[in-house]
Amino acid sequence: MICLDEMGPESAKSFPGQQVVRRDPNPTTGAVERAIQEIDYGRRGKGYIFGAFEPATGEALTHAYGGRTIANWVDFLERVEIWTPPEAERIYAILDNLNTHRATDVLLFILAHPRWELVFQPTYAAYLNLIEPWWKTLRSLALKGRRFETWDQIATAVADATAYWNAHRHPYVWGRRRRHKPRRQAGIARLPTVA
């Protein structure tokens, strides 16, 4: 099973990171100053990152394109075909219902590659595609807290983050992270007072 989707559109701009807040030097007031970030509207080039993600192994493939066209999507499917091991008999590709995913050229690609099967998720059910939470992780690795001047810098940052992810990959577990909750202290129950 491979989850396929695109991240975007992303544009060259500043991506907010951890906000730095400094305490007032006067300890009596205890006031803190607000975190300020310069407004950055981007508009220095934009594009799309197409991605394939295999949750069972945690392996990912991304590639940057200047636009979300049918030709770019078919080119990405060809890259996924090469990336997928030849011993895999079936490739189940989970997709959303975007019109470029259902185009005639995509159907011709499926006919030319018989081991592929497209599985379209229901409308308004993006949470069923495991690549969606993985995009959040990739955005954090590649973009968070950085400023990009060109689209090529974003493409390079995403490629580096994908290489880092693949070097440290693990099977992706669906669901929320477990947070360590402190154990409740044993206490003595109080009887209610009768008035």
Side-chain angles (χ1 to χ4, degrees), residues 178-182:
R178 292 183 179 218
R179 303 209 190 274
H180 298 288
K181 293 182 180 178

Side-chain angles (χ1 to χ4, degrees), residues 41-167:
Y41 293 107
R43 296 194 178 102
R44 292 186 292 272
K46 72 170 189 167
Y48 291 83
I49 305 292
F50 289 6
F53 182 64
E54 188 176 1
T57 62
E59 191 172 3
L61 171 73
T62 57
H63 192 70
Y65 290 95
R68 185 171 64 184
T69 63
I70 296 168
N72 289 345
W73 182 247
V74 173
D75 179 64
F76 182 70
L77 291 178
E78 291 285 352
R79 291 175 187 271
V80 174
E81 173 68 27
I82 295 167
W83 173 69
T84 307
E87 58 269 3
E89 294 177 10
R90 277 319 252 167
I91 299 174
Y92 296 100
I94 300 175
L95 298 165
D96 57 13
N97 291 299
L98 189 66
N99 62 352
T100 56
H101 297 166
R102 296 175 174 263
T104 305
D105 291 348
V106 176
L107 297 177
L108 292 173
F109 170 84
I110 297 301
L111 288 173
H113 300 88
R115 69 179 184 155
W116 280 74
E117 185 172 333
L118 301 182
V119 179
F120 291 98
Q121 66 193 31
T123 308
Y124 303 110
Y127 57 88
L128 293 177
N129 195 345
L130 280 180
I131 200 168
E132 297 296 341
W134 183 78
W135 282 127
K136 182 178 179 182
T137 304
L138 185 70
R139 277 189 181 101
S140 179
L141 285 172
L143 308 176
K144 187 175 181 182
R146 298 178 64 188
R147 178 183 171 89
F148 298 98
E149 293 297 326
T150 64
W151 167 248
D152 293 333
Q153 290 177 345
I154 290 180
T156 303
V158 169
D160 293 344
T162 305
Y164 176 82
W165 172 267
N166 284 331

